[in-house]
Amino acid sequence: MSEIQLLHGRTDVREALRDTDELALFRYNLNIPTFLITLIVGSALTGLGGVIWWKGQLGTGGYTVTFGVLVGLGLALGGLAAYWYSYTQTHFLAATPEHLFVGTRDRMWAISWDLLDREALGLEEMNVSSVGGQLELNVAEHQIPVRLFNPFVMLDHLEAFMGRLLEQAKSRDDTD
């Protein structure tokens, strides 16, 4: 496998992961309370819009606009919850002694650890706040986002993943 490679298709992704020794797989977990609150509020807003429609109040402009806003917001929140649920089912990170893998079941970056120093890992410009954390890998003129956590999802075994990144950055700094 080359220094950095973008794999397309489930077969290529599975083969790349299957052919590696000592694979550490990091998956995303859904933040259940945030997910449920988003679904409940979205359903309530859509339900209120349905009540306005059911009562037949769409004849006047104010009720029609209210109906549209309520249903639109409700569907948007439902779509947001569905997106993050899908994200946890498809996205992952994986590490072997030779490569870092970033991607989904259908499309994945395979990056040699030799290319990932402190700067390339984005550790110095890491975007972390109380509501989200993300790394921007800068490798071979590619920017690859690595989401760590946000209000909807969190990387499972985040500490182990960050430990692996820091070990690689330290060993790379030691050799340089």
Side-chain angles (χ1 to χ4, degrees), residues 53-70:
W53 176 76
W54 183 54
K55 293 287 186 178
Q57 299 293 327
L58 296 181
T60 61
Y63 285 108
T64 304
V65 170
T66 303
F67 167 79
V69 168
L70 289 173

Side-chain angles (χ1 to χ4, degrees), residues 114-141:
D114 293 336
L115 297 175
L116 296 172
D117 59 6
R118 182 180 302 268
E119 185 178 327
L121 285 169
L123 293 173
E124 296 179 8
E125 292 114 24
M126 192 162 122
N127 185 12
V128 177
S129 70
S130 61
V131 294
Q134 180 170 313
L135 289 171
E136 288 287 337
L137 303 182
N138 294 306
V139 182
E141 300 180 10

Side-chain angles (χ1 to χ4, degrees), residues 52-105:
I52 290 173
W53 176 76
W54 183 54
K55 293 287 186 178
Q57 299 293 327
L58 296 181
T60 61
Y63 285 108
T64 304
V65 170
T66 303
F67 167 79
V69 168
L70 289 173
V71 170
L73 286 173
L75 293 175
L77 288 175
L80 182 65
Y83 171 80
W84 287 112
Y85 177 79
S86 173
Y87 191 93
T88 63
Q89 302 302 307
T90 58
H91 287 71
F92 66 91
L93 302 170
T96 65
E98 299 84 27
H99 291 91
L100 172 66
F101 298 99
V102 179
T104 67
R105 294 183 295 206

